[in-house]
Amino acid sequence: MLRGIATLLMFQLIGESLVFLSKIPVPGPVVGLVLLFVVLQIGRRAGHAPFPQVEAAANTLLTNLGLLFVPAGVGVVSLWGVLKSEAAPIAIVLVVSAAVTLAITVWTFIAARRYFDKKWGA
Amino acid sequence: MRSPVDLWVYLSTSPLIWLTLTVCTWIGAVELSVRLKRNPLVNPVMTSIIVLSIVMTVFHIPYEKFFAGAQFVHFLLGPATVAIAVPLYLQWDEVKKVLAPIGVALAVGSLVAVLSVMVLGWLVGLPRDVLISFLPKSATAGVAMAISSSLGGNPSLTAVLVILTGITGALIVTPMMNRMGIRDYAARGFAVGLTSHGIGTARAYDVDPTAGLFAGMAMALNAIATSIIVPLAARLLLGS
């Protein structure tokens, strides 16, 4: 487990370092995510799978992902001044955008799957 | 002998009490959610934030003091983002089979998530700084906050908008999809994971395992897609 945590931290560190050096506009942890994915795939091809340490650490973090949102979320109290004056427009954008994104994504997914199934005769 | 008031003064200035309270509140909120059969109205992220906000307000605790303790939890958002590589890797054989439709749905969905905020925000007249903080709202909190601060947005505001988007999506997805007559749980999961990141993914797992799998996948891919799309959209917005 500890090795798994160290692995995640190391990949984040590598990601942050690469972003700092290259100035690419992508967050460091996302670069770390992509690199870890590539390394895991290479590791599996080379016959090193499974990776119980990394899997255990990742599983612990991701099953409690909601907890990690809480500290920033409580910031709503200190931001109340900003939010109060714009509450109605923010609420409209929030709800309409979420509904539109859900609907268009689900339709696109179904339509694309149908199209590619027909094309490749799955 | 010191008085309980002294103890309160001592504890309220140390990070320990706020860290303990955050973790314990979360455990209680999850327990409540399980007892009420995972009803989306008692989403544990939402109930935890409400309970802690009430405590902060009642006891006049400044957010900085609370965050001094809670930051140890907050810090884990970075490693948790890296951790998304693991389910993506474990599910890769499933992903590969539907790679083409996933790619199309990801590109379209991610663009809609960002552009809808730009168009709607302009229609209702949101100030530009709020709009910048709003754009990455469908990405997971750690990623969205990083994008927001790199573009001069307010990362705390982004965090709140990300969480509210997560809760909104988790609340409306099931009734909405049922009314739309969509029974393809892979598609439903993908849509909620893309729209509502981790909170949507947790909801998808409550409804159906296939939905959960595709939601997690969509969350991982949209973290990457959003971090590419939002800086471009912001350039458009700030250039105009």
Side-chain angles (χ1 to χ4, degrees), chain A:
Chain A
M1 175 80 161
L2 196 58
R3 278 162 196 253
I5 294 171
T7 308
L8 296 178
L9 287 171
M10 252 163 48
F11 274 89
Q12 189 187 350
L13 187 67
I14 296 168
E16 304 273 14
S17 307
L18 287 176
V19 167
F20 178 81
L21 293 172
S22 66
K23 292 186 185 167
I24 47 169
V26 176
V30 174
V31 176
L33 187 174
V34 174
L35 288 177
L36 177 60
F37 174 76
V38 171
V39 168
L40 288 173
Q41 286 288 0
I42 294 171
R44 184 166 67 170
R45 300 258 159 90
H48 294 301
F51 307 96
Q53 292 266 352
V54 183
E55 285 173 25
N59 198 31
T60 308
L61 281 176
L62 292 177
T63 46
N64 293 295
L65 191 60
L67 166 64
L68 313 188
F69 293 137
V70 173
V74 177
V76 73
V77 179
S78 60
L79 286 171
W80 188 238
V82 188
L83 290 172
K84 200 170 52 184
S85 58
E86 302 284 345
I90 286 177
I92 292 169
V93 176
L94 205 86
V95 174
V96 177
S97 173
V100 169
T101 309
L102 277 172
I104 292 185
T105 308
V106 85
W107 283 325
T108 310
F109 189 96
I110 290 171
R113 183 136 91 167
R114 243 177 239 156
Y115 171 80
F116 287 109
D117 280 355
K118 212 183 266 173
K119 195 175 162 192
W120 294 331

Side-chain angles (χ1 to χ4, degrees), chain B residues 42-64:
Chain B
V42 288
N43 182 293
V45 179
M46 187 171 66
T47 41
S48 296
I49 292 170
I50 293 172
V51 168
L52 290 167
S53 298
I54 291 171
V55 173
M56 297 302 115
T57 312
V58 168
F59 292 101
H60 300 288
I61 308 295
Y63 180 61
E64 293 70 31

Side-chain angles (χ1 to χ4, degrees), chain B residues 18-74:
Chain B
W18 306 120
L19 179 60
T20 312
L21 191 65
T22 304
V23 177
C24 291
T25 305
W26 170 255
I27 293 170
V30 171
E31 186 64 34
L32 179 74
S33 165
V34 171
R35 289 254 172 102
L36 297 176
K37 301 198 178 76
R38 302 267 177 194
N39 187 317
L41 286 172
V42 288
N43 182 293
V45 179
M46 187 171 66
T47 41
S48 296
I49 292 170
I50 293 172
V51 168
L52 290 167
S53 298
I54 291 171
V55 173
M56 297 302 115
T57 312
V58 168
F59 292 101
H60 300 288
I61 308 295
Y63 180 61
E64 293 70 31
K65 221 174 240 178
F66 165 77
F67 196 77
Q71 63 171 325
F72 301 106
V73 168
H74 177 80

Side-chain angles (χ1 to χ4, degrees), chain B residues 148-172:
Chain B
S148 172
S149 59
S150 75
L151 296 170
N154 179 341
S156 309
L157 179 57
T158 301
V160 172
L161 296 171
V162 165
I163 291 159
L164 288 173
T165 297
I167 293 167
T168 306
L171 276 175
I172 65 176

